[in-house]
């Protein structure tokens, strides 16, 4: 009777195993592929949601925190990036994860300065110009100070874009600047559109770096340049230990004091440690088709600038 009422142990085990397999499959469909959020293991979708929340939380204090965490050195790093780019009037730039506009504003200032120097050189080379001709040249410069250059700031986070637009209005930037809500993994732009693609302190917050790099390659014109400024891996062992101590013991405290958000800055510190080292990122950039890929370490590798060309 017992055998008739209850399945044998081996059959029961098989059924339990089948149920567990189905539950596991369902869980996998729900959670999706696994990745990391700082030192936590999470699904890709959960990571995207958490990162969006991080930057929504810190948007208003983002620039103040950058100054506090880096002691202002992030400004120098961004200036180095701009000089490495060396844009000329007429350059079309997309700055991805550009949020509050730091790279965009530097780009506009740089192009204006280049165009002004070009005008001065032109006038010096033509000493016999009349004052009417000189005045006309200056009027042309005044009407088109960027030489048709444009920068498109693209960011996935509405609050970061909002903060950037407010800064632009406060600082007087309007010409040659536009703001687009978009995902680095699926950019809302046509193929072969931009001369330069930049992403500064943003690529480590992208869930699928490979997709972001593919999109960078797609939207660049043939001959276009990819530039990435990002925290990286410190080569000096002593500096590395001091850097870790500062990162884990000081940065989250600054986040709590200045932005009222310990957890977001704890994540940002952890995300740096999980980011691919310089050579690994270089290989990833090459894998999507970029050529002449190299990188420059700044401050012993605290940050690195990676560069590549679509040839």
């Amino acid at each position: 009777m017992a055998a008739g009422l209850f399945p044998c142990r081996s059959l029961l085990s098989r059924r339990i195993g089948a149920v567990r397999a189905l539950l596991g499959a369902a869980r996998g469909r729900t959670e999706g592929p696994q990745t990391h959020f700082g030192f936590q293991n999470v699904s890709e979708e959960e990571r995207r949601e958490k990162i969006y929340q991080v930057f929504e939380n810190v948007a208003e204090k983002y620039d103040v925190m950058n100054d506090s965490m880096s002691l202002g050195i992030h400004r120098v790093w961004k200036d180095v990036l701009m000089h490495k780019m060396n844009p000329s009037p007429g350059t079309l730039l997309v700055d991805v994860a550009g949020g509050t506009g730091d790279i965009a504003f530097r780009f506009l200032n740089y192009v204006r300065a280049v165009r002004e120097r070009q005008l001065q050189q032109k006038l010096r080379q033509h000493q016999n110009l009349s004052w009417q001709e000189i005045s006309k040249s200056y009027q042309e410069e005044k009407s088109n100070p960027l030489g048709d250059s444009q920068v498109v700031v693209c960011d996935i986070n509405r609050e970061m874009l909002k903060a950037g637009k407010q800064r632009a209005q406060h600082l007087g930037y309007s010409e040659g600047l536009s703001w687009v809500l978009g995902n680095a993994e699926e950019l809302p732009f046509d193929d072969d559109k931009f001369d330069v693609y930049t992403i500064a302190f943003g690529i480590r917050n992208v869930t699928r770096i490979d997709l972001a790099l593919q999109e960078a390659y797609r939207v660049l014109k043939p001959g276009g340049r990819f530039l990435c400024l990002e925290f990286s891996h410190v080569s000096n062992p002593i500096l590395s230990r001091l850097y870790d101590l500062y990162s884990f013991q000081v940065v989250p405290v600054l986040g709590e004091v200045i932005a009222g958000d310990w957890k977001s800055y704890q994540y940002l510190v952890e995300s740096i440690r999980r980011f691919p080292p310089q050579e690994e990122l270089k290989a990833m950039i090459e894998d999507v088709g970029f050529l002449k890929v190299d990188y420059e370490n700044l401050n012993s590798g605290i940050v690195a600038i990676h560069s590549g060309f679509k040839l």
Side-chain angles (χ1 to χ4, degrees), residues 47 55 62 66 69 74 77-78 81 96-97 103 198-206 209 213 226-234 243 267-278 281 285 295-307:
R47 184 181 196 271
F55 286 94
Y62 185 75
N66 280 346
M69 289 189 301
H74 76 99
W77 296 332
K78 291 168 182 173
L81 175 71
V96 177
I103 300 302
T198 54
I199 184 165
F201 303 118
I203 201 166
R204 79 179 188 284
N205 298 309
V206 172
I209 294 175
L213 292 174
F226 167 86
L227 285 166
C228 172
L229 172 64
E230 188 54 86
F231 289 108
S232 201
H233 290 248
V234 179
Y243 180 50
Y267 154 72
L268 292 174
V269 168
E270 293 175 358
S271 69
I272 296 170
R273 303 318 187 274
R274 298 297 297 265
F275 189 68
Q278 289 89 324
L281 181 59
I285 296 168
Y295 61 87
E296 177 184 356
N297 283 329
L298 305 178
N299 296 98
S300 299
I302 290 178
V303 300
I305 299 175
H306 282 74
S307 169

Side-chain angles (χ1 to χ4, degrees), residues 75 83 286 297:
R75 297 172 181 270
H83 283 280
E286 291 171 333
N297 283 329

Side-chain angles (χ1 to χ4, degrees), residues 32-97:
Q34 295 294 294
T35 183
H36 59 82
F37 175 78
F39 292 158
Q40 302 176 43
N41 290 321
V42 297
S43 69
E44 288 186 355
E45 186 57 34
E46 188 179 0
R47 184 181 196 271
R48 290 187 180 97
E49 292 172 359
K50 284 178 174 289
I51 289 175
Y52 190 95
Q53 190 62 52
V54 164
F55 286 94
E56 191 172 63
N57 291 345
V58 304
E60 289 187 6
K61 298 290 185 179
Y62 185 75
D63 295 303
V64 176
M65 277 301 300
N66 280 346
D67 281 330
S68 301
M69 289 189 301
S70 72
L71 306 178
I73 301 174
H74 76 99
R75 297 172 181 270
V76 176
W77 296 332
K78 291 168 182 173
D79 288 341
V80 173
L81 175 71
M82 195 53 54
H83 283 280
K84 196 174 185 71
M85 183 195 305
N86 190 25
S88 57
T91 299
L92 184 57
L93 166 69
V94 59
D95 182 38
V96 177

Side-chain angles (χ1 to χ4, degrees), residues 218-276:
R218 180 183 66 80
V219 302
L220 279 171
K221 298 175 182 178
R225 189 175 192 183
F226 167 86
L227 285 166
C228 172
L229 172 64
E230 188 54 86
F231 289 108
S232 201
H233 290 248
V234 179
S235 55
N236 184 298
I238 296 175
L239 179 59
S240 179
R241 286 194 291 273
L242 292 173
Y243 180 50
D244 283 346
L245 182 65
Y246 174 77
S247 297
F248 287 101
Q249 300 299 321
V250 178
V251 169
V253 175
L254 288 174
E256 180 65 29
V257 171
I258 296 173
D261 192 340
W262 178 294
K263 290 184 178 179
S264 292
Y265 286 93
Q266 180 72 27
Y267 154 72
L268 292 174
V269 168
E270 293 175 358
S271 69
I272 296 170
R273 303 318 187 274
R274 298 297 297 265
F275 189 68

